[in-house]
Amino acid sequence: FFNECMERGAKLVVIIPEYGPPAAKADYWIPVRPGTDAALFLSITRLLMDEKLYDADFVKQFTDFPLLVRTDNLKRLKAHEVFPGYRNQDISTGPSYKVQGLTPEQREQVGDFVVWDQRSGGLKAITRDDVGRNLAQKGVDPALEGTYKVRTVDGKEVEVVPLFEMYKVHLRDYDLDTVEQITHAPKDLVRRLARDIATIKPVAIHHGEGINHWFHATEMNRAAYLPIMLTGNIGQPGAGCHTWAGNY
């Protein structure tokens, strides 16, 4: 597939410690210290957010970034916590039940989530099935940024933020200068990759055992997914974040 990508004009970027055969045939090579891939992709994620290079419509409709999180306990805000007498919406005919096999017991445990609707300037309850066109049909435009004060049904005032906003706080530690020190990856190449991910469609990230057989592999895989999520490169031919095993 590497050769076919070259033949079809794809841009190839190789991120490995050593300058090996794949790097020699790539458009550019980013050297990285072993075990620091997560920091590299978190820096790319920060650049996409700071420079607003993300696909806002996709992020709002297909990710959990808009969901509100309580800052007092760091848990997602649930609809029954802020809407008196709230009962979970009926999604028994939707994909959660029909495709994913959600059970009534799991439905009660998951509950419904809450976003800050920019159109009404207030809270809106959404279900796990309110993605894509379903969310658009509800007329909800969830905020990705900001801090809000809400009152719970028990009379307590709590601060809530979208998950997107929480990532911005977490990613403050991953500026280009710091990440260059951590990874040894030249910051001009990190910025170049971030802008390529933001402007080229489709984009795919392929990684293998060099990441997955070491400590903190889960965090590294999650970090690699973030730029793909932000740019809408999920569910499209040629896009995605893929794991390889074997001689790769």
Side-chain angles (χ1 to χ4, degrees):
F1 84 92
F2 194 91
N3 290 337
E4 287 195 11
C5 286
M6 295 173 64
E7 291 170 357
R8 298 181 186 189
K11 179 172 284 191
L12 296 166
V13 182
V14 172
I15 306 170
I16 49 175
E18 75 284 355
Y19 187 75
K25 296 173 177 59
D27 288 85
Y28 55 99
W29 162 58
I30 301 181
V32 62
R33 287 177 61 209
T36 64
D37 305 77
L40 177 72
F41 283 109
L42 291 177
S43 180
I44 290 171
T45 302
R46 174 175 170 169
L47 283 169
L48 295 174
M49 289 181 166
D50 287 351
E51 298 182 11
K52 298 192 180 299
L53 298 174
Y54 53 88
D55 183 340
D57 289 338
F58 184 90
V59 171
K60 291 178 180 182
Q61 293 184 12
F62 292 101
T63 76
D64 63 353
F65 281 124
L67 300 185
L68 294 177
V69 177
R70 296 175 56 149
T71 61
D72 61 341
N73 60 15
L74 298 183
K75 294 182 179 180
R76 289 189 180 97
L77 182 68
K78 295 296 185 69
H80 72 267
E81 296 178 307
V82 288
F83 299 113
Y86 184 85
R87 300 184 64 180
N88 290 333
Q89 299 176 42
D90 182 13
I91 59 171
S92 59
T93 60
S96 288
Y97 277 84
K98 300 298 184 182
V99 178
Q100 297 165 353
L102 190 74
T103 67
E105 293 76 19
Q106 292 170 333
R107 175 72 180 105
E108 286 302 312
Q109 183 179 7
V110 171
D112 286 340
F113 307 108
V114 185
V115 298
W116 186 270
D117 180 31
Q118 296 183 111
R119 292 178 180 172
S120 62
L123 301 174
K124 290 286 186 180
I126 63 171
T127 74
R128 56 178 281 122
D129 282 358
D130 290 330
V131 296
R133 289 177 296 178
N134 291 345
L135 184 65
Q137 289 172 359
K138 281 197 167 184
V140 177
D141 182 21
L144 294 175
E145 301 177 88
T147 301
Y148 308 95
K149 295 284 188 180
V150 301
R151 191 166 297 279
T152 61
V153 293
D154 57 6
K156 182 188 298 184
E157 185 179 70
V158 298
E159 182 182 76
V160 296
V161 296
L163 187 59
F164 187 95
E165 186 74 35
M166 295 189 74
Y167 265 100
K168 288 173 57 182
V169 174
H170 173 61
L171 295 173
R172 288 173 186 169
D173 295 333
Y174 296 93
D175 59 276
L176 283 172
D177 289 330
T178 300
V179 168
E180 187 175 51
Q181 293 177 14
I182 296 171
T183 66
H184 294 180
K187 57 186 178 183
D188 60 318
L189 292 181
V190 178
R191 180 182 285 110
R192 180 180 178 184
L193 179 56
R195 291 178 177 167
D196 279 344
I197 291 174
T199 55
I200 295 173
K201 290 290 184 76
V203 170
I205 296 174
H206 296 264
H207 53 88
E209 295 185 40
I211 289 176
N212 292 321
H213 283 186
W214 293 90
F215 292 111
H216 311 301
T218 299
E219 286 79 2
M220 291 187 186
N221 278 268
R222 289 167 68 96
Y225 258 101
L226 288 171
I228 297 298
M229 292 166 60
L230 286 171
T231 54
N233 280 295
I234 294 177
Q236 303 296 327
C241 189
H242 309 282
T243 301
W244 289 80
N247 297 322
Y248 178 73

